[in-house]
Amino acid sequence: MTLTLTVSDDVRTLAPGFTHVAIEAHGLVNGPSSRASAGLLDDAARRLALRLDGRAPHEDPHMAAWRATYTAFGSKPSRTRNSAEALAKRALSDAGLPRVNLLVDLYNAVSVAHLIPVGGEDLDRIEGGMRLIRATGEERFVTVAGGERSVEHPDVGEVVWCDDAGVTCRRWNWRQGPRTRLTEETTSGIFLLESLAPMPVSEVTAAAEELAELLAQFSPGADIAVRAPESSA
């Protein structure tokens, strides 16, 4: 299968410098975090520290661009950080990066090393294509709160990823829903790397190639395809 990814005109107008690169992979082998995946996360934290050279993550020009875009659609970026900034803060803290499972560890490592929001979805749990839109407020986001299933609705104008069943990620790349997340049973996935100007397209493409190589290394024999970058510029 080839998943259809579309970006609405409203989102393109909001963020004309937006670029995304998708990796579609089948025949993946997932499992618990390992010493090898933990090592990649530790190395990513070291690469991040070198990249920032003493600055806070939000002072990086790419993260500043994401903060400005979050503000533009009504979110408070200091409270609801994009996924890359949130991970970067964890990476530089005493707590360090979380160990989730092999596939999530791989894309988190690439996200932190390159300071690029990266997400992963289980292709077998996605219904129809995926769309990046500005919400009407009527869309359903099924999550878990206090151990119980609950339904939220995005704010009007909020940027969300969704499929035919509802929202898969709120506030662009802030919070993923449990329905489509990668689990240890996942065998097919779509990985999405997202950037804004001033980050060069070549950098997000290089990050995608690095992630594709890691996926091939940890899932020998998997069918992995990196799509060409799609830009709003």
Side-chain angles (χ1 to χ4, degrees):
M1 103 179 244
T2 297
L3 181 72
T4 300
L5 296 165
T6 58
V7 178
S8 74
D9 290 341
D10 285 345
V11 172
R12 293 183 186 278
T13 299
L14 176 74
F18 174 59
T19 297
H20 68 273
V21 180
I23 303 170
E24 187 166 338
H26 301 271
L28 295 169
V29 178
N30 202 5
S33 298
S34 67
R35 181 178 297 178
S37 69
L40 289 170
L41 291 169
D42 290 340
D43 182 62
R46 288 190 288 270
R47 292 167 66 185
L48 172 69
L50 289 172
R51 181 189 191 97
L52 292 173
D53 192 25
R55 294 173 299 164
H58 70 268
E59 295 176 298
D60 177 87
H62 190 216
M63 294 298 93
W66 276 107
R67 282 193 165 216
T69 301
Y70 268 50
T71 299
F73 67 78
S75 289
K76 295 182 178 179
S78 59
R79 189 169 64 187
T80 56
R81 297 178 176 88
N82 74 80
S83 64
E85 184 182 333
L87 278 174
K89 284 181 67 66
R90 285 287 300 271
L92 298 174
S93 73
D94 292 339
L97 288 166
R99 276 59 169 160
V100 181
N101 59 52
L102 284 176
L103 292 178
V104 175
D105 290 354
L106 297 187
Y107 79 69
N108 278 349
V110 170
S111 175
V112 168
H114 291 269
L115 213 49
I116 294 172
V118 184
E121 309 280 355
D122 189 321
L123 275 172
D124 293 328
R125 299 183 180 191
I126 294 171
E127 298 188 22
M130 290 183 63
R131 302 175 297 281
L132 187 65
I133 64 168
R134 300 197 70 175
T136 65
E138 297 299 319
E139 297 86 355
R140 290 165 51 87
F141 179 70
V142 180
T143 186
V144 176
E148 299 291 332
R149 179 182 181 274
S150 67
V151 177
E152 299 176 358
H153 297 278
D155 299 328
V156 175
E158 181 182 328
V159 177
V160 296
W161 279 102
C162 61
D163 65 1
D164 290 351
V167 174
T168 58
C169 194
R170 287 200 59 187
R171 294 193 175 96
W172 206 314
N173 46 40
W174 167 63
R175 193 170 102 197
Q176 183 186 33
R179 173 171 59 89
T180 58
R181 69 178 45 152
L182 303 177
T183 69
E184 292 183 19
E185 288 71 47
T186 297
T187 58
S188 294
I190 189 82
F191 301 86
L192 195 63
L193 298 88
E194 302 178 298
S195 68
L196 295 171
M199 176 170 279
V201 174
S202 59
E203 186 162 352
V204 67
T205 302
E209 294 290 351
E210 182 178 332
L211 178 53
E213 290 174 6
L214 288 173
L215 292 171
Q217 176 185 333
F218 280 78
S219 295
D223 181 8
I224 300 166
V226 180
R227 301 189 190 179
E230 295 188 24
S231 176
S232 297

